Every structure is written in structure tokens, then in C-alpha cells.
Amino acid sequence: MRIVVFEQWDRLVALLKGIAAGSATERTQYAINRVEVKDGVARLADRASNNLALAGGRTTVVMPDIVPGKARDFMLRVTATGDNEIAFTGAEAFEGDAGSLEPPSDGETVVYFFTETDGDVMLVARKPVERLEP
């Protein structure tokens, strides 16, 4: 019988745990994505907190591309000035409470939450938000 003693085993295990934890964190954290409107179109990123500033007019918001076998899940924070219209595209259907796809009013900030619940069907929740004073 041969016995091999590896004196740095604990250090190797700690290193591997750190690499695995970093990789898992990197994949599960959402990026903050500043969305630019180009020719009236805003394209969103999946697994991200998308931030969009609107200053009046009509904007078409495009959902992230479908990845086969994966559900899309992301947020969209919209700060609005002026009178805005928003059209959401890039999904076969949207579902949620009545008014979930309404644009924010002048001076309002709204966060939309999108989760794909079935193939190309997006559940939408809308929450108006205000800055809190500590």
C-alpha cells in the first residue's frame, strides 16, 4: 500500500472553492445596463437591471433575444420627462395586471419586472418608485 502525503491540500481546496464561488457569483449577479435609444428603439439585456431615460415621444422597447432552454429575467427602470409612449416587442405575449405596460407619466420613475414564464410569454409587473430620504 502506498500513502501519498500532500501537505498543501487545504490550500488547494481553499483555492478551488474560491474559484468556484467567484464563477457562481459572476453568473448570478445582474449587470447594470444603461440603455440608449437609437432611432426610437431601446434594446434590453437579459439578466440585467436595464436603465432607460425617456424625454418624450414614442419608444419601442425590445426584449432580449431568446436563448433556447433558458428563461429571460430582467428589470427595466424608466425615468420619464415629457409625454411618452412605450411599445414593448420581442415576445409572443405579455401577461400581468391591467396597466402593467403603461408608460410612466412626466417626472415619474417606474420599474418594470419581466420574467419568462412559458416559451416566449413574459410576465410583467410595474412598480412606480420614489427616491427615499434616509
Side-chain angles (χ1 to χ4, degrees):
M1 173 198 248
R2 292 180 99 191
I3 297 176
V4 177
V5 177
F6 185 59
E7 295 177 9
Q8 296 175 341
W9 178 254
D10 291 338
R11 291 176 65 192
L12 177 62
V13 170
L15 176 66
L16 293 174
K17 283 182 182 177
I19 291 169
S23 178
T25 299
E26 194 173 288
R27 289 187 185 136
T28 58
Q29 288 185 331
Y30 279 37
I32 294 180
N33 181 42
R34 305 276 179 223
V35 180
E36 298 291 328
V37 178
K38 293 180 185 168
D39 299 322
V41 176
R43 297 187 181 281
L44 304 182
D46 195 12
R47 304 276 187 246
S49 178
N50 295 279
N51 288 273
L52 174 63
L54 297 178
R58 180 173 173 81
T59 304
T60 300
V61 176
V62 181
M63 302 294 105
D65 292 336
I66 294 173
V67 175
K70 303 286 184 183
R72 295 172 284 179
D73 187 64
F74 53 94
M75 295 172 278
L76 171 61
R77 181 180 187 269
V78 179
T79 55
T81 56
D83 188 28
N84 290 281
E85 292 180 43
I86 298 179
F88 292 93
T89 65
E92 180 181 317
F94 295 92
E95 56 189 15
D97 293 334
S100 292
L101 294 176
E102 292 294 318
S105 302
D106 183 23
E108 186 177 38
T109 299
V110 172
V111 179
Y112 299 89
F113 302 90
F114 295 87
T115 300
E116 191 165 22
T117 57
D118 197 3
D120 213 14
V121 176
M122 302 298 293
L123 173 65
V124 184
R126 179 186 188 275
K127 174 84 175 144
V129 295
E130 293 182 22
R131 182 74 48 129
L132 302 175
E133 297 299 321

Coordinates of all heavy atoms in Angstrom, one line a residue, residues 19-30:
I19 N -12.3 29.9 -6.5 CA -12.6 29.9 -7.9 C -14.0 29.6 -8.2 O -14.7 30.3 -9.0 CB -11.6 29.0 -8.7 CG1 -10.2 29.5 -8.6 CG2 -12.0 28.9 -10.2 CD1 -9.1 28.6 -9.1
A20 N -14.5 28.5 -7.6 CA -15.9 28.1 -7.9 C -16.9 29.2 -7.4 O -17.9 29.5 -8.1 CB -16.2 26.8 -7.2
A21 N -16.7 29.8 -6.2 CA -17.6 30.8 -5.7 C -17.6 32.1 -6.6 O -18.6 32.6 -6.8 CB -17.1 31.2 -4.2
G22 N -16.4 32.4 -7.0 CA -16.3 33.6 -7.9 C -17.0 33.4 -9.2 O -17.7 34.2 -9.7
S23 N -16.9 32.2 -9.8 CA -17.6 31.8 -11.0 C -19.1 31.8 -10.8 O -19.9 32.3 -11.6 CB -17.1 30.5 -11.5 OG -17.8 30.1 -12.7
A24 N -19.6 31.3 -9.7 CA -21.0 31.2 -9.4 C -21.6 32.6 -9.3 O -22.6 33.0 -9.8 CB -21.3 30.4 -8.2
T25 N -20.9 33.5 -8.5 CA -21.3 34.8 -8.3 C -21.3 35.6 -9.6 O -22.3 36.4 -9.9 CB -20.3 35.5 -7.3 OG1 -20.4 34.8 -6.1 CG2 -20.8 37.0 -7.0
E26 N -20.3 35.5 -10.4 CA -20.3 36.2 -11.7 C -21.5 35.8 -12.6 O -22.0 36.7 -13.3 CB -19.0 35.7 -12.4 CG -18.6 36.6 -13.6 CD -17.2 36.2 -14.1 OE1 -16.3 36.5 -13.4 OE2 -17.2 35.6 -15.2
R27 N -22.0 34.6 -12.5 CA -23.1 34.2 -13.4 C -24.4 34.6 -12.8 O -25.4 34.6 -13.5 CB -23.0 32.7 -13.6 CG -21.9 32.2 -14.4 CD -21.9 30.8 -14.8 NE -20.8 30.4 -15.5 CZ -20.1 29.3 -15.3 NH1 -20.4 28.5 -14.4 NH2 -19.0 29.1 -16.0
T28 N -24.5 34.7 -11.5 CA -25.8 35.0 -10.9 C -26.1 36.5 -10.6 O -27.2 36.9 -10.4 CB -26.0 34.3 -9.5 OG1 -24.9 34.6 -8.7 CG2 -26.0 32.8 -9.8
Q29 N -25.1 37.3 -10.6 CA -25.3 38.7 -10.4 C -25.8 39.4 -11.7 O -25.3 39.1 -12.7 CB -24.0 39.4 -9.9 CG -23.7 39.0 -8.5 CD -22.5 39.8 -8.0 OE1 -21.6 40.2 -8.7 NE2 -22.5 40.0 -6.7
Y30 N -26.7 40.4 -11.5 CA -27.2 41.1 -12.6 C -26.3 42.3 -12.9 O -25.9 43.0 -12.0 CB -28.6 41.6 -12.4 CG -29.7 40.6 -12.5 CD1 -29.5 39.2 -12.2 CD2 -30.9 40.9 -13.1 CE1 -30.5 38.3 -12.4 CE2 -32.0 40.0 -13.2 CZ -31.7 38.7 -12.9 OH -32.7 37.8 -13.1

